[in-house]
Amino acid sequence: MLILLAFIIVFHITSAALLFISTIDNAWWVGENFSTDVWRMCVTNTTTCTAITDQFNDYPSVQAVQATMILSTIFCCVAFLVFILQLFRLKQGERFVLTSIIQLLSCLCVMIAASIYTDRHEELHKSNEYNIEVSQGQYGYSFILAWIAFAFTLISGVMYLVLRKRK
């Protein structure tokens, strides 16, 4: 039972780490000489970064991605704290339903963020505010990590729903 508990904790911490990395790191859309995310666009050769502001095309979509990724990360961290509290507070045989609900909300938020970015990336990268041509890029590792985090939070949310507290 202790091994299962350790696995669940490591799995949850991994999910949170993936969410932090995909939210913070600057690699949602990358090209030969640039990388961009939902916060800024950086030119690789000169280390010059431009913040993505309301002057950019489709900025409300960027704000939606920002908000849902932040919410997803917060929900994941709160779910971990609730899980730790429920370890000590639940009676034997009860399920971790509250932890599961919070983790599934995290899953929903990261899915919404990645889906919005997937749908709107062409419009996002056609803005005249960019210093260089960024429309000829490809999805970066932060975007891929966001989708992996979606799968991890979904699996852990379902795992908490099925899991019962044992002695």
Side-chain angles (χ1 to χ4, degrees):
M1 187 65 192
L2 195 57
I3 294 172
L4 179 63
L5 180 63
F7 171 75
I8 290 169
I9 290 172
V10 168
F11 196 76
H12 197 116
I13 290 172
T14 303
S15 300
L18 290 172
L19 286 170
F20 273 109
I21 292 168
S22 64
T23 303
I24 295 170
D25 208 6
N26 190 30
W28 278 61
W29 188 257
V30 295
E32 289 183 23
N33 58 351
F34 72 90
S35 62
T36 185
D37 65 354
V38 294
W39 306 103
R40 64 190 179 281
M41 190 279 299
C42 295
V43 178
T44 309
N45 300 341
T46 63
T47 65
T48 308
C49 293
T50 305
I52 297 175
T53 62
D54 57 352
Q55 272 75 39
F56 285 76
N57 286 345
D58 218 9
Y59 184 65
S61 296
V62 174
Q63 285 184 313
V65 173
Q66 290 172 346
T68 51
M69 284 303 292
I70 290 171
L71 275 175
S72 177
T73 307
I74 290 170
F75 280 142
C76 188
C77 293
V78 168
F80 183 70
L81 294 175
V82 169
F83 173 68
I84 298 299
L85 289 174
Q86 284 185 322
L87 275 176
F88 299 107
R89 303 291 302 186
L90 282 181
K91 296 177 184 169
Q92 189 173 352
E94 291 184 4
R95 296 185 188 271
F96 295 90
V97 176
L98 182 59
T99 302
S100 175
I101 290 169
I102 297 170
Q103 190 69 350
L104 290 173
L105 282 173
S106 174
C107 171
L108 178 67
C109 286
V110 73
M111 181 195 69
I112 290 170
S115 297
I116 291 171
Y117 195 85
T118 302
D119 181 53
R120 307 301 298 169
H121 80 275
E122 290 176 358
E123 289 80 14
L124 294 174
H125 300 124
K126 288 182 181 174
S127 179
N128 294 332
E129 297 298 318
Y130 287 114
N131 300 340
I132 60 172
E133 178 65 32
V134 297
S135 62
Q136 297 301 318
Q138 61 189 6
Y139 292 112
Y141 68 87
S142 292
F143 176 78
I144 295 166
L145 287 180
W147 279 113
I148 293 171
F150 162 71
F152 272 43
T153 54
L154 178 64
I155 291 167
S156 65
V158 171
M159 193 168 32
Y160 287 128
L161 194 58
V162 173
L163 187 67
R164 290 180 184 266
K165 183 176 179 186
R166 299 215 172 124
K167 195 153 186 159

